[in-house]
Structures are given as C-alpha cells and as structure tokens.
C-alpha cells in the first residue's frame, strides 16, 4: 500500500517535471533563444556605432543552434512523457493535409487520445508570444505613425 502511493506520487512528480520542461522550452524558443543570440552578438562586436557582418552572422548561428536545441528538448520531453503515461508511440504520423479525403478514413490516434501536452504548450506559447507582441506594439512602443519634426 505504501509503495503504491510512493510510485504514484513519483510518477505524478515526473509528469509535472516533464510538463514544466516542455513549457519552459516552448516559451524559451520565443524569448530565451533570441535574447541569448543578441547577447552573444553584442559581446562579439568591437564598435558601438557600426555593424559588421561577423556579429550578425554569429547572432543568426547562435539563434539557429539555440532553437534547434530547444526543439530537441521538446521532442525528448514529449517522448519521455508519452513513455511515462503509457501512450504508445506512433510509427507513422499522418499530417492532416496528407490524409485521404475519400471515405476510407482510418481511425487516427489524435481522435482517440486528444491533444497532447506538447501540443497544448506549443499553442499556448504561440498565443502568449502574439499577445506580448500586440501589447508591446499598441501600448509600449513609440507610435510608428506619429508625425515627425516639423520642417518650418
């Protein structure tokens, strides 16, 4: 009885930890990776007034590598979560635009299992990124259509 409770709590803690890792990875694709790339690029430049292509290329490379690492982390945590919850791994995933439009449709796994936590975190991170951009654009940024200085 006691060991069953410990195993149940341990699995719940592991699931919670994997969900936190998925959400942090999804959010950091939008925030942490670009900030890291800009910080590395700012450290690589020697002048404060001119921009050369080397730091710009470094920013692009660091952004690519950071996003790739975060996508790998999302994939790994999603696979671990599926293994922990007992969800069978699909050998072949059918993308919605490649599905047959005829009547011989097969039973798709999504219709049986619903939305995965990874999909939920990714959609939530995109919605939060769009909302943050809109708040910044309409409230915090200077107006791009404000009249400039008068030319008298």
């Amino acid at each position: 009885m006691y060991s069953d409770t410990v195993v149940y709590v341990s699995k719940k803690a592991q699931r919670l930890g994997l969900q936190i890792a998925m959400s942090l990875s999804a959010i950091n694709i939008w925030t942490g990776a670009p900030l890291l790339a800009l910080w590395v690029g700012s450290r690589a430049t020697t002048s404060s007034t001119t921009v050369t292509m080397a730091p710009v290329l470094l920013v692009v490379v660091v952004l690519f590598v950071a996003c790739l690492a975060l996508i790998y982390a999302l994939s790994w945590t999603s696979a671990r979560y599926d293994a922990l919850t007992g969800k069978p791994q699909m050998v072949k995933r059918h993308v919605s635009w490649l599905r047959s439009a005829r009547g011989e449709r097969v039973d798709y796994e999504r219709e049986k299992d619903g939305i995965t936590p990874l999909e939920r975190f990714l959609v939530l991170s995109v919605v939060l990124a769009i909302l943050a951009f809109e708040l910044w654009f309409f409230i915090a940024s200077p107006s791009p259509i404000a009249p400039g200085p008068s030319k008298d």
Side-chain angles (χ1 to χ4, degrees), residues 10 21 23 25 34 40 47 49 51 54 57 59 71 73 78 84 104 106-107 120 122 127 129 133 147 149:
S10 172
S23 63
S25 297
V40 169
S47 173
T49 57
V51 177
L57 180 63
V59 166
I71 290 168
S78 178
L84 186 65
E104 71 273 0
V106 297
D107 292 330
R120 189 176 308 120
L122 290 177
V127 169
F133 172 74

Side-chain angles (χ1 to χ4, degrees), residues 96-105 108:
S96 60
W97 58 83
L98 294 177
R99 291 182 184 163
S100 172
R102 296 176 290 189
E104 71 273 0
R105 297 184 188 271
Y108 293 105

Side-chain angles (χ1 to χ4, degrees), residues 54-117:
V56 172
L57 180 63
L58 184 63
V59 166
V60 170
V61 169
V62 169
L63 182 61
F64 176 75
V65 169
C67 286
L68 200 60
L70 288 168
I71 290 168
Y72 178 77
L74 276 172
S75 175
W76 183 82
T77 53
S78 178
R80 292 278 302 142
Y81 185 86
D82 289 346
L84 186 65
T85 57
K87 181 180 174 188
Q89 288 293 316
M90 296 178 290
V91 175
K92 183 176 180 183
R93 293 188 180 198
H94 295 279
V95 185
S96 60
W97 58 83
L98 294 177
R99 291 182 184 163
S100 172
R102 296 176 290 189
E104 71 273 0
R105 297 184 188 271
V106 297
D107 292 330
Y108 293 105
E109 290 81 9
R110 178 175 305 238
E111 294 168 1
K112 291 185 268 182
D113 295 331
I115 297 175
T116 64

